[in-house]
Amino acid sequence: MNTSSPEENTTDASADIINSEGEAKNISLIENWQQVSQQVEQACMQAQRVPSSVTLLAVSKTKVAEMVATLARQGQRDFGENYLQEAIEKIQLLREQVGFEDIVWHYIGSIQRNKTRDIAEHFDWVQTLERDIIAKRLHEQRPANMPPLNVLIQVNIDQEDSKSGCLPEALPELIESLKAYERLQLRGLMIIPAKANTNAFERTKQLFDNVKRAHPDLSQWDTLSMGMSNDMSEAIAHGSTMVRVGTAIFGTRA
């Protein structure tokens, strides 16, 4: 609990994060999160799946650290960030605070070569891996005192020119490369399907299962990240184990 004076709170950003007086301002945020959590649970029940089999990733890009802290106090554990510098500021601020050490940070933005060191040093997961050169850099730059970096391969499942991701036919070669990087832990696949495509989830689940059968040595191949605010129920029905929800929780982008 924060015991600093009001004067200190106005000058100390870290103390502001854990100031319970601000909790009332976030009632709608908490209600949104609860509603989304219930929707995930209901989608699991409809798909005859255990609710704990799906992780809710709260996409907190452009949202202030106080909002992340509010949801973390409610029990939300996984947060996704797209913008690296903004994310690092939030991560560093919150990791200094008691009670927020267990937040799991996912990088879900595009990865440029000059970003790999910061990503490797600050994040627990990377969901947008698509090239071997980036994987190699993340592996080499992951600090030895940290556990292996969990990674998902982003697949351009609909082969759209406007989207990033490994093409499905290139997936086997990339998987073989990743197996050599002991500082990375390959966990599964991530997709952002085309809006007009109705069976992307089904095709991705088939691809995921094919990889699992072909690579029994991938002991932690367990994560299929697909589904967002508008289609998470459909994604869960087709086997998603992680849904990435921003707008439905935090509102429109700041």
Side-chain angles (χ1 to χ4, degrees):
M1 179 179 296
N2 181 22
T3 58
S4 58
S5 68
E7 291 78 11
E8 290 171 326
N9 282 341
T10 61
T11 58
D12 187 343
S14 296
D16 214 30
I17 292 301
I18 58 174
N19 186 353
S20 60
E21 294 178 0
E23 196 70 34
K25 300 177 183 178
N26 294 310
I27 291 176
S28 62
L29 172 62
I30 295 170
E31 289 177 343
N32 288 346
W33 173 78
Q34 291 173 335
Q35 183 175 20
V36 170
S37 298
Q38 290 171 359
Q39 290 173 347
V40 170
E41 183 174 350
Q42 290 170 358
C44 287
M45 293 176 64
Q46 290 174 357
Q48 297 184 332
R49 298 178 58 189
V50 178
S52 60
S53 67
V54 177
T55 297
L56 172 59
L57 178 67
V59 178
S60 47
K61 63 181 180 182
T62 76
K63 305 305 178 182
V64 296
E66 183 181 357
M67 298 178 79
V68 174
T70 294
L71 293 185
R73 286 193 290 268
Q74 297 298 313
Q76 175 63 33
R77 188 161 180 257
D78 294 81
F79 292 87
E81 293 284 337
N82 290 60
Y83 307 119
L84 186 57
Q85 192 55 47
E86 171 201 321
I88 290 174
E89 292 174 2
K90 281 187 264 191
I91 292 170
Q92 291 177 331
L93 182 59
L94 287 166
R95 280 183 173 162
E96 294 174 354
Q97 306 305 312
V98 175
F100 302 124
E101 307 92 335
D102 293 337
I103 290 177
V104 179
W105 295 97
H106 298 244
Y107 186 75
I108 58 174
S110 61
I111 308 175
Q112 300 170 1
R113 293 192 188 192
N114 63 350
K115 294 181 178 181
T116 55
R117 183 175 297 279
D118 282 335
I119 293 172
E121 291 178 351
H122 289 91
F123 284 85
D124 304 293
W125 286 71
V126 170
Q127 296 205 16
T128 48
L129 189 59
E130 60 174 325
R131 292 183 292 159
D132 177 61
I133 184 61
I134 297 298
K136 185 173 186 293
R137 290 175 65 88
L138 290 171
H139 157 71
E140 292 173 345
Q141 295 168 347
R142 181 68 168 177
N145 65 335
M146 297 180 71
L149 179 64
N150 296 295
V151 298
L152 302 180
I153 297 173
Q154 181 176 357
V155 178
N156 189 347
I157 192 65
D158 294 316
Q159 303 190 37
E160 297 178 275
D161 293 338
S162 61
K163 288 202 180 127
S164 301
C166 171
L167 294 176
E169 57 266 28
L171 187 59
E173 182 178 356
L174 181 55
I175 288 173
E176 288 298 334
S177 297
L178 290 175
K179 286 183 179 181
Y181 302 139
E182 66 271 12
R183 302 302 302 155
L184 303 181
Q185 180 64 61
L186 181 56
R187 300 293 296 268
L189 305 177
M190 184 273 263
I191 65 162
I192 305 174
K195 291 182 179 180
N197 203 308
T198 58
N199 67 344
F201 295 148
E202 184 177 354
R203 287 184 288 112
T204 306
K205 179 60 162 64
Q206 185 63 54
L207 192 61
F208 178 86
D209 290 342
N210 289 344
V211 171
K212 190 175 184 67
R213 284 191 292 269
H215 299 273
D217 53 323
L218 292 176
S219 59
Q220 294 193 55
W221 184 262
D222 57 7
T223 304
L224 188 52
S225 176
M226 58 185 192
M228 294 182 280
S229 292
N230 295 326
D231 56 12
M232 59 181 175
S233 294
E234 182 185 356
I236 290 170
H238 287 90
S240 174
T241 68
M242 184 178 294
V243 290
R244 309 180 306 273
V245 181
T247 301
I249 295 175
F250 293 98
T252 55
R253 188 179 304 181

